[in-house]
Amino acid sequence: MRLATWNVNSVNARLPRLLDWLESVRPDVVCLQETKTADFPVAEVDKLGYETAAHGLNRWNGVALLSRVGLADVSPGFPGEPGFPDPEARALGATCGGVRVWSVYVPNGRTPDDPHYAYKLTWLAALRTALGDELGGHAELAVCGDFNVAPTDADVWDPAQFVGATHVTPPEREALRHLLDLGLHDIVPKPMKGPNPFTYWDYRAGMFHQDKGMRIDLVYATKPLADRVTGAYIDREARKGKGPSDHAPIVVDLG
DNA sequence: ATGCCTTATTTCATAAGA
C-alpha cells in the first residue's frame, strides 16, 4: 500500500497538478491539507478511481482523504477538538485498507505572543488525547499532515533565522514529543536530493532552489504500521515548475 | 536548471500563510 500526504495550498488551484500527480505516483491513500474550499472536486478524483472524504468549511484550512482501498468510519474533526473559537476544518479521520488514517492541518500559530499560538498548543494537546483514545482499537494508525512544527533544528534551513519564531519553540516541539509518547514513530522521508528532508519552501526569494526549507509535514505511525514501511520519500518534483504548492508531498510505501 | 509569492474573497485591497 502506498500512503501519501500533501499540503496542496488550494485543491482547486492545484487540481491539474494533483490529477497528474495521482496518475504518475498512484498512491492508494492520500491525505490532503489546505484544500481551501467547501466544494471539493470529488468528480475529478473519482475518475481516477478514488473515493473522497472532504472536510472544508470555507476559504481557510480544509482537509481531505482520497482512497482506492476503502474509506470507512469517516470522522470530520475529533472529539474535544478546539476552535478559534468556532470550529475549523483541520482534521479528518477514516479507515482505509485496514489502516486508521488521519489528515491534519495544525494551526500555524503566527507568533509566540499571538492567541493563535496558544490555540495551536491547545489543539495539539487535544489531538493527543483523541489519538490516545483511538489507539486501543487501531493497531495500525497513521497521523499525517502539516504539523507546522519543525521537530529539531536540523529540520530548518538555518536555526539562527528562526530565533523567537513559531514552529521551533520548545513547547511546540514538546507537543510533538507527547504525540510520539503515545507509541507513534516519526517516518522520516528521504529527500532524494541533498541532505535535508524538507517538505516546505517559501514561495519568495528563490527559497526552493536554494533548499532553504523546513520539515513541517510529518507522518507519525504506530509501531505495527512503521514496521511495514519499505520506503519513504519527499516528492520534490512536485515542488518544481509552474504553479506548485509551497509544500512537497511525502510518499510512504508499506509492505 | 528547480528560478526569486500565492490564495480566495468582503476583488483593483486584504488576510493569511510560516
Side-chain angles (χ1 to χ4, degrees):
Chain A
M1 187 165 111
R2 173 165 271 192
L3 169 69
T5 183
W6 191 8
N7 178 325
V8 289
N9 186 16
S10 171
V11 69
N12 287 314
R14 217 66 56 216
L15 189 59
R17 291 186 65 124
L18 173 63
L19 297 175
D20 287 348
W21 182 81
L22 290 172
E23 287 198 290
S24 64
V25 177
R26 304 191 67 77
D28 296 295
V29 180
V30 186
C31 302
L32 299 174
Q33 300 87 36
E34 281 208 86
T35 54
K36 292 188 170 179
T37 181
D39 185 22
F40 193 96
V42 172
E44 285 78 357
V45 296
D46 174 77
K47 289 176 187 166
L48 299 181
Y50 290 94
E51 289 181 271
T52 298
H55 181 32
L57 300 174
N58 50 44
R59 63 178 288 199
W60 304 117
N61 316 308
V63 284
L65 282 163
L66 311 181
S67 176
R68 38 184 204 182
V69 291
L71 193 59
D73 299 325
V74 174
S75 175
F78 54 82
E81 182 181 355
F84 193 81
D86 297 323
E88 299 185 314
R90 295 185 175 276
L92 180 65
T95 302
C96 307
V99 179
R100 188 66 177 166
V101 180
W102 281 92
S103 176
V104 301
Y105 177 50
V106 176
N108 172 291
R110 301 188 184 181
T111 59
D113 60 351
D114 192 290
H116 286 86
Y117 177 83
Y119 170 49
K120 179 181 196 173
L121 295 178
T122 302
W123 197 94
L124 280 166
L127 176 66
R128 183 196 192 277
T129 299
L131 290 174
D133 289 343
E134 277 212 335
L135 284 171
H138 299 281
E140 295 190 334
L141 179 148
V143 52
C144 314
D146 179 356
F147 284 73
N148 273 318
V149 181
T152 73
D153 278 353
D155 296 310
V156 298
W157 60 275
D158 181 4
Q161 301 291 323
F162 290 85
V163 173
T166 184
H167 292 61
V168 300
T169 66
E172 291 169 279
R173 289 175 167 170
E174 186 178 25
L176 292 187
R177 283 196 295 276
H178 284 327
L179 291 175
L180 297 178
D181 287 344
L182 292 169
L184 298 174
H185 295 254
D186 184 5
I187 308 300
V188 182
K190 291 184 168 58
M192 305 310 285
K193 179 186 177 186
N196 304 310
F198 298 153
T199 62
Y200 162 85
W201 302 261
D202 195 290
Y203 283 125
R204 291 166 285 191
M207 298 287 270
F208 176 62
H209 58 263
Q210 299 171 73
D211 202 24
K212 294 180 175 178
M214 308 170 75
R215 183 169 81 99
I216 54 175
D217 299 271
L218 306 172
V219 175
Y220 279 3
T222 56
K223 183 156 197 320
L225 191 63
D227 285 345
R228 286 178 57 191
V229 173
T230 59
Y233 71 94
I234 299 157
D235 187 358
R236 65 194 314 283
E237 295 299 315
R239 182 63 178 78
K240 298 179 181 178
K242 183 175 170 56
S245 169
D246 43 3
H247 295 250
I250 299 169
V251 180
V252 179
D253 285 313
L254 302 163

